[in-house]
Amino acid sequence: MRQGTKMRRGRMTAALLAVAMGSSLMAGCGNGSGNVDGRGKGQNQEQGPGEDRVATAPTGSALAVKVDNTPTARPQTGLDAADVVYAEQVEGGLSRLMAVYATRLPDAVGPVRSARESDLELLRQFDKPTLAFSGVQSKLLPLIDKAPLHPKSPRDAAGAYYRSSGKPAPHNLYLRPKRLMGSAPGADVLTTGYHYGAAPSGGTPENSRTVSYPAARFTFTWSGSQKRWLVTMDGTPTVTADGKRVSAGTVVVQYVKVRQSRFQDFLGNNTPYTETVGSGRAQVLRDGRAYDVSWKREKPTDGTDFTTADGRPVNLAKGPVWVVFAKAS
């Protein structure tokens, strides 16, 4: 009963966001001006004739895209092509995704939504990655500008984005990655610290694992025939817009500190800050088994190491990796 109440509150929050933001096509968090990223005149309307401006990103950088994950945004586009998908908690107990692309670029990704302060720490593990996002609130702009990354909002690369008529604003902004980068940069840009190879010894059989936020939940179910973890979000099997079931070769449930940040959304909800530098416990799901491990990331420029109780590195399975950041108890 309590979980159902929390989920209903989350859906109500999402509905309020859509109503309040739809009329102005606002994509930022806490930026009431209607601008896409708070930097002045917005670029949040449909492109008109001649508005095909594209500022290309470096071909040698990973592409990270902030992806909307409210029920209104689903089904998403391009999630199945990501090398890594991070799930984090945002305002109102809802969730948002960051999809990272290196080995292949889909034709489209989205819906694209706004960035958060936590993203800047998470992305430091990559070498000057490209961050595609709909916008941020104006108070966060100085941090974005100072961060060692290439920010690409619709203001920076209007021709790489488009609005779809299939969903209401603000859940209808999509990115064309190939207009932004041209080609996939390759696996070498995935400086996450992850090791791939044979599974460690031990572990326990696991058929299904659920991670819950106050107003969202993720379930990963092992498919022996597909050798993949099938993704379900908020009780509904996750498929892409073209009907492909979203799955992962490895799922990492990483327990981290989630604290309040300095920022709020326009409804007054505090923006959670997910700390991904530090250490703690995690659970690695692969090959139908669960492994209790430790994680460590000493500084922002480091990747994250996962080790067994005796200090041995934990290998991940080939295929997409989903990392769900859960609040440490």
Side-chain angles (χ1 to χ4, degrees):
M1 180 69 71
R2 183 178 300 173
Q3 180 66 33
T5 300
K6 290 180 179 179
M7 293 297 294
R8 286 194 295 273
R9 289 175 180 170
R11 294 190 185 101
M12 183 177 296
T13 299
L16 288 172
L17 284 168
V19 171
M21 296 168 73
S23 61
S24 64
L25 300 184
M26 186 180 72
C29 70
N31 173 23
S33 66
N35 298 330
V36 153
D37 62 2
R39 302 188 192 197
K41 185 178 179 180
Q43 295 282 349
N44 49 348
Q45 282 77 32
E46 293 279 1
Q47 285 180 225
E51 292 181 343
D52 196 30
R53 180 167 55 87
V54 176
T56 57
T59 57
S61 66
L63 172 63
V65 185
K66 294 293 297 191
V67 179
D68 196 348
N69 198 36
T70 60
T72 307
R74 301 173 192 148
Q76 292 109 331
T77 298
L79 272 185
D80 56 317
D83 294 280
V84 183
V85 178
Y86 295 102
E88 64 180 349
Q89 182 180 322
V90 292
E91 300 83 6
L94 297 169
S95 64
R96 186 157 295 177
L97 307 177
M98 179 189 288
V100 179
Y101 299 87
T103 59
R104 59 180 175 140
L105 298 178
D107 292 334
V109 178
V112 181
R113 289 303 300 272
S114 55
R116 296 294 186 271
E117 185 184 7
S118 300
D119 302 331
L120 305 184
E121 179 177 276
L122 179 61
L123 288 172
R124 286 290 303 278
Q125 65 190 298
F126 301 103
D127 183 17
K128 294 184 179 178
T130 297
L131 174 61
F133 60 108
S134 64
V136 294
Q137 62 167 273
S138 58
K139 292 181 180 179
L140 186 53
L141 280 173
L143 299 181
I144 291 277
D145 292 337
K146 292 178 182 178
L149 53 78
H150 303 282
K152 297 296 178 183
S153 70
R155 177 189 181 277
D156 305 302
Y161 289 88
Y162 68 95
R163 292 277 180 185
S164 169
S165 61
K167 292 185 176 73
H171 313 284
N172 63 348
L173 180 68
Y174 291 82
L175 171 73
R176 296 183 179 96
K178 294 175 184 177
R179 286 198 177 188
L180 190 63
M181 303 188 70
S183 62
D188 288 345
V189 304
L190 293 173
T191 51
T192 54
Y194 300 162
H195 301 276
Y196 298 88
S201 59
T204 57
E206 187 77 67
N207 293 322
S208 181
R209 178 75 164 84
T210 296
V211 181
S212 296
Y213 293 165
R217 72 182 187 274
F218 298 85
T219 299
F220 303 92
T221 304
W222 175 250
S223 169
S225 60
Q226 299 184 40
K227 304 298 182 184
R228 287 287 186 271
W229 296 92
L230 304 181
V231 182
T232 297
M233 295 190 286
D234 299 334
T236 302
T238 303
V239 296
T240 59
D242 55 2
K244 295 180 181 178
R245 186 68 190 272
V246 177
S247 63
T250 305
V251 177
V252 178
V253 182
Q254 187 173 339
Y255 294 94
V256 298
K257 181 178 181 180
V258 180
R259 59 173 172 81
Q260 291 189 342
S261 74
R262 295 171 288 172
F263 303 100
Q264 295 178 334
D265 69 7
F266 71 99
L267 292 176
N269 296 308
N270 185 267
T271 300
Y273 188 102
T274 300
E275 295 188 4
T276 56
V277 173
S279 61
R281 65 185 182 93
Q283 194 170 55
V284 172
L285 308 178
R286 59 163 296 173
D287 305 328
R289 301 184 73 84
Y291 300 87
D292 293 319
V293 304
S294 298
W295 70 269
K296 186 175 184 180
R297 185 179 172 205
E298 291 188 350
K299 55 183 184 296
T301 52
D302 290 342
T304 304
D305 294 322
F306 299 101
T307 56
T308 59
D310 57 3
R312 290 177 294 139
V314 174
N315 291 327
L316 308 184
K318 289 184 178 181
V321 177
W322 276 61
V323 181
V324 182
F325 293 119
K327 188 174 183 179
S329 57

